[in-house]
Amino acid sequence: MRIVILASGTGSLAQAIIDSVASGDLEVEIVGVISDQPDAMVLQRAGKSEIKTFIVPMKANRSDWDRDLSTLVESLKPDLVVSAGFMRILAPDFVSHFRVINSHPALLPNFPGAHAVRDALSAGATQTGATIHWVDKGVDTGKVIAQVRVDISSDDTQESLHERIKIQERGLIVATIRSLIPGLESEN
Ligand code: GRF
């Protein structure tokens, strides 16, 4: 099974996938890591593991960027696209053409959007978590595949809470990709 990873930042989720593939725990081929950020650490991480990396910087014309991303991903022929810390909304055409999953640092439908950790803290929630979901045309509205809960402690900061969530997210994204393999293979 061929997967493409989309990521914008540090790439610790991508690293968890890369490590699981390297150790044989996850039987997929990572055919590319794509970032919209030229300096993203995820590109160095992927490069170290000799995974092909690609940069698609945002353009003044958003639909040009959508087309560039779509053309690139199409050329990689993925069975699954994994959005792991990719801080861009994907175009409706993209998400209807490719099978895309996303990892989100909250228990959807609670706290969608780009500030999920901050929003859970400021709402005074006592629990939050992580969600892996199919990506549809909305923002964090697609069908939930898997979730994990994380308790919020009274002395949590956004950083401490996000790091605890990310520890869970790393395991969840790997386990979820693994769980999707049989279904995706039978579609081919
Ligand atoms: C994760 O919490 C992801 O859900 C969110 O951004 C974070 C990515 O972390 N959208 P990293 O760059 O993989 O370390």
Side-chain angles (χ1 to χ4, degrees):
M1 191 175 98
R2 299 165 64 85
I3 70 165
V4 164
I5 300 175
L6 308 179
S8 300
T10 312
S12 67
L13 270 58
Q15 187 71 60
I17 302 169
I18 292 168
D19 291 346
S20 300
V21 172
S23 69
D25 282 349
L26 183 61
E27 293 187 34
V28 300
E29 183 186 356
I30 304 170
V31 292
V33 170
I34 302 173
S35 185
D36 58 317
Q37 300 294 331
D39 299 326
M41 199 199 290
V42 69
L43 297 169
Q44 295 163 37
R45 291 181 186 267
K48 270 190 199 145
S49 297
E50 291 174 8
I51 295 165
K52 278 192 202 154
T53 58
F54 305 88
I55 301 165
V56 186
M58 183 47 73
K59 294 193 158 167
N61 183 337
R62 167 73 208 221
S63 45
D64 288 347
W65 182 83
D66 290 336
R67 194 203 49 230
D68 288 356
L69 183 67
S70 197
T71 304
L72 171 60
V73 173
E74 181 74 49
S75 73
L76 296 169
K77 302 190 186 327
D79 299 297
L80 182 69
V81 177
V82 179
S83 161
F86 192 58
M87 303 310 283
R88 300 282 179 188
I89 310 287
L90 295 163
D93 283 354
F94 186 97
V95 301
S96 55
H97 186 68
F98 301 105
R99 292 183 199 83
V100 189
I101 61 170
N102 179 53
S103 182
H104 181 76
L107 289 175
L108 292 172
N110 296 332
F111 311 117
H115 304 289
V117 180
R118 185 190 72 189
D119 293 348
L121 268 180
S122 51
T126 56
Q127 279 196 326
T128 185
T131 301
I132 314 293
H133 63 98
W134 291 107
V135 179
D136 66 7
K137 291 172 189 169
V139 177
D140 301 325
T141 51
K143 187 169 185 284
V144 170
I145 308 169
Q147 290 186 309
V148 61
R149 285 179 187 281
V150 173
D151 287 331
I152 301 178
S153 48
S154 53
D155 58 353
D156 259 325
T157 61
Q158 200 174 310
E159 290 69 34
S160 66
L161 178 58
H162 199 174
E163 190 46 43
R164 282 211 317 292
I165 293 170
K166 289 213 289 182
I167 290 168
Q168 298 299 324
E169 272 189 279
R170 292 172 196 135
L172 193 66
I173 189 111
V174 169
T176 304
I177 295 169
R178 189 184 297 116
S179 76
L180 293 174
I181 294 174
L184 291 168
E185 281 180 346
S186 68
E187 283 177 27
N188 288 334

